[in-house]
Amino acid sequence: MFPRPIAKASPAARIGYQAFLPVALFLWLLPLLAIFMTSIRTSKDINSGNVFGWPSEFKLLENYTAVFTQSDAAQYLWNSVLITVPTVLISVTLACLAGYALAIYKTRWALPMFFMFVAGNFIPFQILMVPVRDMSVQTGLYDTIAGQYLFHAAFQTGFCTLFMRNFIKALPFDLIESARIEGVAEWRIFWYVVLPLVRPAVAALAVLIFTFVWNDFFWANVLTQGEQVKPITAGVRALNGQFVNNWHLVSAASLLAAVPPVAMFFLMQRHFIAGLTLGAVK
Amino acid sequence: MATTDANAPTKASWIQKNKLSIAPWFFLIPALCFFAVYVVIPIFESLYLSLFEWNGLYRADGTSTAEFVGFENYQKLWTDPKFWVSLKNNVLWLFLFMLAVPVGLFIALFLNQTVPGMRFYKSMFFFPFVISQVVVGLIFGWFYNPDFGVVGSIYKALYCEEVTNLLGNLTTRCDGSPPDILSSAEYATYGIIAAGLWPQIAYCMILYLTGLNNVAVDQIEAARLDGAKGWKMLWYVVVPQLKPATFIAVVVTVIGALRSFDMIAIMTQGGPFGSTNVLSYYMFETAISEYGERYGYGSAIATVLFAIMLVFISYFLYRMYQDEKGGR
């Protein structure tokens, strides 16, 4: 273990460490705590400069209800769900298939093809922006929910394929070899041998892609115009204009936008972290 | 193998023979088509479009109004001061964002203990990464606000005092006015980068925490017996073992720095006076602006950003290729 376990240190150091932990955490999350406190204050408190002090009144329910009644927040949140869920389903499905192909078959083009998916995953969005926007306008997908999830699904397929291919490559190849010798058809090997084994990877990808797409802001701006199809990230920005200097409402709306990915993270923490390390730090 | 099998039905023999070279395509084609349509082909379209001047419109007969101008867009870029400011800011982002890697490592080392409740602390430290950058941008925009925000209140607490004026009313008197970080052409970019570092440090931290779990205990113990400790131990024994984590941390940090868009759009929209612009935001602003669309010029900016990114991508792919060759 490095650093040396604190349990072996002197009692003073141990107590000091344990006392310092919450302080460090408090400082680290200070911006978040401050905005949470703002979201439960009255506007009077904020205008009088009461940022750190105890709120003069607690307006937790009132402020959060106001966000829903005074804006389209509910619509935006629902749009985000409608965009995110199909993206996860499509990209993970395609990546299972493609990852299997790139990991199992030893052909010359498997590696270049794999690198194409990897490279595509790292490119700047701007190089895709104009053609994708133009294509969406041409095909009637501009300013629709489908236009957004189709693009996200295609783009995230790159990352998912990278992840899946590495995961499947790490499986014992003997399993597939022996199934082939038994004469099992290729698609049955995929379905009955490989798919059950990649379940952890599917879970990791699902939470990660959910978070990535939920938090997307750029494409929401490029591919939509109207309020009807905007996801919550773009919505929060619109609310920011609507609630000018009503910082208690802006902060409540921002925190609401963050709830689903945060919940996802705390529920599926292990998978989430496995996904973030790209499966490379084992 | 099927050719030597006398019992194999002749009809199936071609498929049988080539089973292993046909099958992968069936698995690959859906992803490949999708990825080609939305990612690979648009890259080349953008490169091509950067040689045109186009406002995104079509004539009634469906032909595009784009006009070929050769390298004119790039010549304009060369003399465009906004482009150079953006490029300079991109370099600044790249360098300062790299701080996330060592800082992430130190927080990981700090948290790499087993005391009760450690899991909770680790996840709470990771928290900022899960939140959308839009929300982080709003949080920090408010944090920096000189009137209502945290920076403003700290300033007031330090430099202001309540006094009773001539008429007997309570007023606050301050030494100067509180700093308005996001409205200052000089400091706004640093303010945004600091906000961007917050989630990025969390990301690097989690990569290192995972990496530290797998550091070989016997090597540490052996080094300890040889008298290594502190910095020496860290640098010569621990860091080399964290190489895979460092590699990924650097990759995601470079990509994150060059992709920075959300925070700028939320916090300053490139202002004041374009001083916080970066290529990604400048491109967006140019291509889709209130003053009409400039797809050709926008594509030229995107191409420059793509070229910069390509340098890094090539290096990453080269490293991955080395691993692939060595690994199996």
Side-chain angles (χ1 to χ4, degrees), chain A residues 68-278:
Chain A
F68 284 110
T69 53
Q70 294 178 24
S71 75
D72 295 333
Q75 173 84 49
Y76 296 141
L77 281 167
W78 180 237
N79 288 342
S80 277
V81 173
L82 290 182
I83 295 165
T84 314
V85 172
T87 303
V88 171
L89 290 177
I90 299 173
S91 57
V92 174
T93 307
L94 293 182
C96 284
L97 294 167
Y100 176 74
L102 294 175
I104 297 300
Y105 298 96
K106 300 198 166 22
T107 41
R108 232 173 325 121
W109 45 262
L111 205 56
M113 203 73 95
F114 172 60
F115 280 164
M116 184 195 75
F117 281 109
V118 177
N121 176 51
F122 289 145
I123 55 166
F125 296 143
Q126 282 71 16
I127 195 83
L128 308 178
M129 186 182 113
V130 169
V132 168
R133 185 176 150 105
D134 184 47
M135 178 166 69
S136 302
V137 172
Q138 295 296 308
T139 52
L141 287 168
Y142 180 72
D143 214 16
T144 62
I145 298 278
Q148 294 178 74
Y149 70 66
L150 284 176
F151 171 78
H152 283 306
F155 188 80
Q156 299 299 345
T157 297
F159 175 74
C160 293
T161 304
L162 155 72
F163 191 81
M164 268 301 171
R165 183 266 188 190
N166 282 344
F167 194 91
I168 296 174
K169 190 112 196 174
L171 296 176
F173 190 67
D174 302 350
L175 279 176
I176 290 130
E177 198 83 279
S178 54
R180 272 187 189 152
I181 290 167
E182 304 254 322
V184 182
E186 291 297 309
W187 68 271
R188 291 176 71 98
I189 298 179
F190 170 72
W191 191 259
Y192 291 109
V193 180
V194 174
L195 215 47
L197 293 173
V198 299
R199 272 200 212 121
V202 170
L205 281 176
V207 264
L208 265 187
I209 300 304
F210 178 90
T211 310
F212 288 166
V213 175
W214 185 280
N215 288 343
D216 161 74
F217 177 67
F218 181 76
W219 291 101
N221 278 301
V222 172
L223 296 177
T224 71
Q225 198 170 31
E227 304 300 309
Q228 292 307 311
V229 294
K230 267 198 203 325
I232 186 70
T233 42
V236 160
R237 203 240 199 129
L239 297 184
N240 192 27
Q242 190 185 333
F243 295 148
V244 184
N245 280 342
N246 280 320
W247 281 103
H248 55 300
L249 296 184
V250 174
S251 24
S254 318
L255 289 176
L256 275 175
V259 167
V262 168
M264 202 59 136
F265 167 65
F266 279 103
L267 288 175
M268 315 265 294
Q269 217 181 109
R270 202 167 46 86
H271 292 302
F272 195 98
I273 290 167
L276 276 181
T277 54
L278 309 185

Side-chain angles (χ1 to χ4, degrees), chain B residues 138-258:
Chain B
L138 281 171
I139 293 179
F140 274 85
W142 167 78
F143 198 84
Y144 291 144
N145 189 302
D147 300 319
F148 311 114
V150 175
V151 168
S153 338
I154 292 175
Y155 184 87
K156 274 178 200 140
L158 293 178
Y159 296 102
C160 298
E161 47 178 358
E162 295 215 321
V163 289
T164 318
N165 65 11
L166 288 171
L167 299 168
N169 296 325
L170 264 183
T171 53
T172 47
R173 196 173 59 199
C174 304
D175 299 336
S177 54
D180 191 351
I181 296 170
L182 294 181
S183 307
S184 128
E186 208 175 329
Y187 298 117
T189 294
Y190 296 98
I192 304 174
I193 296 175
L197 274 172
W198 193 44
Q200 193 65 33
I201 289 171
Y203 193 172
C204 293
M205 177 206 82
I206 209 79
L207 290 173
Y208 279 122
L209 272 177
T210 322
L212 281 169
N213 265 337
N214 304 307
V215 165
V217 179
D218 48 340
Q219 284 193 31
I220 305 266
E221 293 309 325
R224 224 163 240 160
L225 288 179
D226 288 343
K229 57 183 173 189
W231 291 103
K232 276 213 161 123
M233 172 78 110
L234 178 64
W235 189 249
Y236 292 107
V237 184
V238 180
V239 170
Q241 292 195 54
L242 291 173
K243 225 169 140 193
T246 307
F247 177 64
I248 296 179
V250 170
V251 171
V252 295
T253 306
V254 168
I255 302 292
L258 290 175

Side-chain angles (χ1 to χ4, degrees), chain A residues 2 4 6 17 28 38 51 97 121 123 126-127 131 133-134 138 165 215 236-237 265 276-277 282, chain B residues 27 46 58 110 112-113 125-126 130 132 138 142 148 198 214 224 259 265 269 280 293 295 324:
Chain A
F2 183 85
R4 192 182 285 272
I6 201 83
Y17 178 77
W28 181 243
T38 306
V51 173
L97 294 167
N121 176 51
I123 55 166
Q126 282 71 16
I127 195 83
R133 185 176 150 105
D134 184 47
Q138 295 296 308
R165 183 266 188 190
N215 288 343
V236 160
R237 203 240 199 129
F265 167 65
L276 276 181
T277 54
K282 292 207 186 81
Chain B
F27 290 107
S46 274
Y58 288 87
F110 170 64
N112 192 33
Q113 293 290 352
F125 267 84
F126 183 62
V130 189
S132 132
L138 281 171
W142 167 78
F148 311 114
W198 193 44
N214 304 307
R224 224 163 240 160
R259 274 203 183 148
Q269 300 176 338
S280 62
E293 275 135 357
Y295 280 181
E324 286 291 327

Side-chain angles (χ1 to χ4, degrees), chain B:
Chain B
M1 40 182 187
T3 41
T4 54
D5 188 352
N7 297 329
T10 41
K11 247 177 136 183
S13 70
W14 187 82
I15 293 184
Q16 277 294 318
K17 197 166 59 182
N18 294 295
K19 196 173 75 172
L20 289 186
S21 52
I22 302 167
W25 289 104
F26 283 97
F27 290 107
L28 203 54
I29 274 174
L32 207 56
C33 290
F34 217 25
F35 200 67
V37 168
Y38 269 113
V39 180
V40 181
I41 297 170
I43 294 176
F44 293 99
E45 279 182 313
S46 274
L47 299 180
Y48 179 67
L49 261 176
S50 73
L51 305 175
F52 286 81
E53 195 170 306
W54 188 30
N55 56 8
L57 297 180
Y58 288 87
R59 292 192 196 87
D61 59 359
T63 53
S64 145
T65 58
E67 197 186 317
F68 185 80
V69 293
F71 287 94
E72 207 175 279
N73 285 327
Y74 293 97
Q75 281 168 3
K76 271 192 229 160
L77 268 186
W78 187 258
T79 52
D80 181 353
K82 277 180 142 181
F83 167 74
W84 291 107
V85 171
S86 308
L87 193 62
K88 191 206 86 191
N89 282 337
N90 265 124
V91 174
L92 205 59
W93 268 87
L94 207 51
F95 276 103
L96 290 178
F97 233 48
M98 277 301 153
L99 284 175
V101 178
V103 177
L105 173 61
F106 282 109
I107 297 185
L109 289 172
F110 170 64
L111 292 177
N112 192 33
Q113 293 290 352
T114 41
V115 297
M118 210 56 219
R119 268 184 71 95
F120 168 78
Y121 281 108
K122 286 177 185 172
S123 15
M124 289 313 269
F125 267 84
F126 183 62
F127 207 121
F129 180 75
V130 189
I131 307 170
S132 132
Q133 298 223 340
V134 172
V135 176
V136 174
L138 281 171
I139 293 179
F140 274 85
W142 167 78
F143 198 84
Y144 291 144
N145 189 302
D147 300 319
F148 311 114
V150 175
V151 168
S153 338
I154 292 175
Y155 184 87
K156 274 178 200 140
L158 293 178
Y159 296 102
C160 298
E161 47 178 358
E162 295 215 321
V163 289
T164 318
N165 65 11
L166 288 171
L167 299 168
N169 296 325
L170 264 183
T171 53
T172 47
R173 196 173 59 199
C174 304
D175 299 336
S177 54
D180 191 351
I181 296 170
L182 294 181
S183 307
S184 128
E186 208 175 329
Y187 298 117
T189 294
Y190 296 98
I192 304 174
I193 296 175
L197 274 172
W198 193 44
Q200 193 65 33
I201 289 171
Y203 193 172
C204 293
M205 177 206 82
I206 209 79
L207 290 173
Y208 279 122
L209 272 177
T210 322
L212 281 169
N213 265 337
N214 304 307
V215 165
V217 179
D218 48 340
Q219 284 193 31
I220 305 266
E221 293 309 325
R224 224 163 240 160
L225 288 179
D226 288 343
K229 57 183 173 189
W231 291 103
K232 276 213 161 123
M233 172 78 110
L234 178 64
W235 189 249
Y236 292 107
V237 184
V238 180
V239 170
Q241 292 195 54
L242 291 173
K243 225 169 140 193
T246 307
F247 177 64
I248 296 179
V250 170
V251 171
V252 295
T253 306
V254 168
I255 302 292
L258 290 175
R259 274 203 183 148
S260 55
F261 172 88
D262 300 5
M263 300 233 180
I264 293 158
I266 292 292
M267 293 170 82
T268 60
Q269 300 176 338
F273 317 115
S275 62
T276 55
N277 240 333
V278 292
L279 290 178
S280 62
Y281 190 77
Y282 185 42
M283 184 274 165
F284 174 82
E285 199 185 50
T286 311
I288 319 178
S289 74
E290 306 109 86
Y291 315 111
E293 275 135 357
R294 294 172 69 194
Y295 280 181
Y297 197 53
S299 296
I301 303 171
T303 304
V304 172
L305 183 59
F306 179 64
I308 297 171
M309 210 87 124
L310 212 51
V311 175
F312 293 101
I313 296 174
S314 313
Y315 172 68
F316 301 152
L317 288 183
Y318 172 74
R319 284 281 304 265
M320 284 181 78
Y321 180 64
Q322 296 293 325
D323 281 358
E324 286 291 327
K325 270 200 323 196
R328 292 153 219 275

